[in-house]
Each structure stands twice: as C-alpha cells, then as structure tokens.
Amino acid sequence: MTISLEGQVAIVTGAGRGLGRAYAMELARRGARVIVNDPGVAMDGAEGSSKPADEVCDQIRELGGEAQPSYDSVASFDGGAAIVQAALDAWGRVDAVVCNAGILRDRAFHKMTEDDWDSVMNVHIKGCFNVLRHAWPVFREQSYGRVVMVTSTTGLFGNFGQANYGAAKAAMIGFMNVLKLEGQKYDVRVNLLAPSATTRMTEDLMPAELVAKFGPEHVAPVVAVLASRDCPDTGLIIEAVAGRIARSAVVRGTGVTYDESQLRDAEWVLANWEQITSLDDAELWWHLQQPLVPADD
Ligand SMILES: NC(=O)c1ccc[n+]([C@@H]2O[C@H](COP(=O)([O-])OP(=O)(O)OC[C@H]3O[C@@H](n4cnc5c(N)ncnc54)[C@H](O)[C@@H]3O)[C@@H](O)[C@H]2O)c1
C-alpha cells in the first residue's frame, strides 16, 4: 500500500533543520504542499534567520514539490495564527500539523531560572496550543485533520538536567488525551511521536556509533504514517528511537480495592505497597471512565 499525501496541505513547525526538515521533505515527497515553519533560531531560542526555512523550501521545489516558508514563532498565539493563516492563504486548507519546533535550556534543576522554564514551555507545549488552536476550527469545518506532536523520551521516562523540557514534553500526553476525544467525531487523529536522531540537539549526547547510523530520515516515515489519511489510530505515543519503532503508553495497575466501610490508614497503604505499585495485569484506559477497548476500536 502506498501512502500518499497528494492534494493535502501540511504544516511542519521547526522544519528548517534536523528532524523537522526530514519530516517536511518526506511529506512533500509524498505529495503534500508544505508550510515550512522556522524562525531559524539558535538551539536555546536566541537570534533568528530566514535561511533555514528558505533552504528547505528550495530543496522541496527542486524535487518538484510545493512549499512556502513561514518565519513566525510558535511561542506566540499570534505566531500560531500566522502559521495556520499562511497555509490557508497559499492553498486554502490544512490537513496535517506536525508540532516539531523545539529548543533546549538544559540545566540541573537547582540552577534553572524562570526564563529557562518559561522559554522551553512556550516553545514546546504552549507552541503546540498556539498552532493547534488555530488549526482546530479548520479541521472541524472540513471533518478531517491529522496532528503529530513531537514529545521525547525525556518526558516519558526522565533525563537529568531537563526538568523544563521533560515537563513540557510530558504535558503533550495530557493535551493529546483530550484532543483525541474532542477530535474523534471530526476524524481528527492526534498522536505523539518520541523520536531520536542525530541533529544539532543530540550530536554531543548520543554515542558516536549511533550518531553515524541514525539520522532524521529514520524517523520521517513514522511521521508520514501519522500525518496521512491512512493513519490507523489516534491517541498513541510512538517512539522511533535509534532503529526501534514501538508504542509507549500510560497504563493503570489493578492495585488494591476496598469498600467505603473500610477506612484504610497509612500503615495499611504501606503494608500493601507491593500490590499498589504492581503493574501486573495493568490496563490501558481510553478515557477517564472507559477502560481501553482495542486499539482499532
Ligand atoms: N534529535 C533528537 O534525538 C530528539 C529527541 C527527542 C525529541 N526531539 C524533538 O524533536 C524536535 C526537533 O528537534 P531537532 O533535534 O531536529 O532539533 P533542531 O534544533 O535541529 O531543530 C529544531 C528547529 O526548531 C526551530 N525552532 C525553535 N524555536 C522555534 C519557534 N519558537 N518556532 C518555530 N520553530 C522554532 C529551530 O529554529 C530549529 O530549526 C524538537 O521538538 C525536539 O525536542 C528530538
């Protein structure tokens, strides 16, 4: 089965470099017209240049595709509006949004400043809100939409020195869990991708042998699936990390149960800690009131 995005319009934020560039190229190669959004900032979010977005647009056009640059920051609500408006002005619709823009302000928590926290939150999680809040009415109107938010294994599992980044990336899980429900009626599918690949963000962090092996092109095919009409699911977290593609999930243990006549004290909680924390027979839940029925429901 060939996955095609022919006739569709995709927005990729932070698409001037690294992973975002690979996503934009892959979606364009499969027929999408792409808004290549990137203010071309440094890794900590400073400065800016139109060059990265322009270069990716040129590369897409050289391959026969269609692309338009956008230099707005996802970190402002107006920026989010302008990014979506750029797609509407150019091609009159938005089919897929890949929220990929990212910066780093890594620091051990006791040294982290308010600005380190706010800047990372503003780009990563507020940035998703800023763009998606403007794309959402378009999706509802056309009864179709695909959203890919780029999370990180730091948000899923933790990583020293990245309290701001981990918090922002994990917040996407809660955001997705609600959007998947609100989008369901309109065939808007919302998924998270936790990638890993050699980019300027990771070249000093990843082991040298992995750096050489796993570039962004190893992650881009997953985005092509999640951003396409053929995307089979909504509400999933997919990891694409150094040669392994797999699902991650938040699950609920069976725990211990008791009825209202049995007020339990702290000693009882501690005595039952092993069973309380056991993940044996843990379940996925689709939403607050409903245990998850199978992924293809
Ligand atoms: N590289 C990895 O292994 C890895 C791992 C986990 C998660 N991620 C995530 O993947 C995404 C891409 O990372 P990358 O490694 O390609 O980094 P990168 O630095 O190469 O690219 C990020 C791009 O985002 C752009 N950007 C920054 N602030 C922006 C803003 N306010 N508005 C729009 N664009 C903005 C930058 O200009 C840059 O071109 C990020 O969200 C990152 O957190 C990457």
Side-chain angles (χ1 to χ4, degrees):
M1 174 184 178
T2 305
I3 294 172
S4 169
L5 283 99
E6 212 62 54
Q8 300 209 329
V9 173
I11 292 171
V12 183
T13 69
R17 302 186 182 94
L19 282 155
R21 173 182 174 280
Y23 304 157
M25 301 288 292
E26 176 67 10
L27 298 180
R29 195 177 71 76
R30 290 179 178 275
R33 293 163 286 177
V34 183
I35 293 294
V36 176
N37 163 255
D38 205 310
V41 294
M43 214 156 68
D44 65 357
E47 299 149 20
S49 158
S50 56
K51 207 171 151 202
D54 287 342
E55 282 178 357
V56 174
C57 288
D58 288 345
Q59 286 161 2
I60 288 174
R61 290 182 195 122
E62 275 163 29
L63 296 173
E66 284 184 64
Q68 291 287 339
S70 136
Y71 315 112
D72 291 289
S73 169
V74 300
S76 84
F77 195 59
D78 290 348
I83 293 165
V84 172
Q85 195 57 49
L88 296 176
D89 289 347
W91 302 301
R93 57 186 292 122
V94 182
D95 297 285
V97 177
V98 183
C99 296
N100 163 81
I103 60 167
L104 285 183
R105 294 280 191 92
D106 291 0
R107 230 176 285 281
F109 188 53
H110 66 283
K111 294 182 187 158
M112 192 166 281
T113 65
E114 188 181 9
D115 190 52
D116 293 333
W117 180 269
D118 288 345
S119 339
V120 165
M121 286 289 164
N122 283 342
V123 174
H124 288 275
I125 183 64
K126 177 94 187 304
C128 291
F129 166 77
N130 289 334
V131 179
L132 294 176
R133 180 60 186 82
H134 293 98
W136 205 255
V138 182
F139 290 160
R140 280 170 54 108
E141 182 68 25
Q142 67 195 16
S143 283
Y144 179 83
R146 297 287 182 264
V147 173
V148 185
M149 280 186 270
V150 178
T151 182
S152 164
T153 47
T154 293
L156 303 181
F157 309 117
N159 195 25
F160 195 94
Q162 295 196 307
N164 49 0
Y165 182 78
K169 291 302 202 187
M172 291 176 189
I173 300 171
F175 191 22
M176 169 185 75
N177 282 340
V178 174
L179 293 191
K180 81 183 178 194
L181 301 174
E182 295 192 8
Q184 209 171 9
K185 189 170 142 196
Y186 302 95
D187 193 16
V188 182
R189 301 185 189 184
V190 184
N191 291 287
L192 295 191
L193 168 67
S196 176
T198 323
T199 67
R200 66 177 183 170
M201 237 186 223
T202 50
E203 59 195 354
D204 298 333
L205 304 174
M206 288 171 77
E209 66 279 10
L210 285 185
V211 167
K213 277 191 205 158
F214 292 104
E217 67 280 5
H218 288 272
V219 181
V222 182
V223 172
V225 171
L226 297 178
S228 75
R229 213 165 253 291
D230 301 303
C231 173
D233 279 304
T234 187
L236 301 191
I237 306 167
I238 305 293
E239 281 183 63
V241 172
R244 176 179 157 274
I245 301 174
R247 178 178 177 188
S248 274
V250 176
V251 296
R252 202 168 212 194
T254 51
V256 292
T257 51
Y258 57 93
D259 67 42
E260 67 277 11
S261 66
Q262 305 166 295
L263 183 60
R264 300 301 194 183
D265 59 17
E267 287 72 19
W268 182 88
V269 172
L270 187 59
N272 285 280
W273 199 248
E274 195 174 330
Q275 181 58 29
I276 287 170
T277 56
S278 168
L279 288 179
D280 291 349
D281 302 321
E283 285 180 325
L284 288 158
W285 280 57
W286 173 239
H287 63 68
L288 205 51
Q289 288 90 23
Q290 187 188 346
L292 182 63
V293 242
D296 56 358
D297 180 63

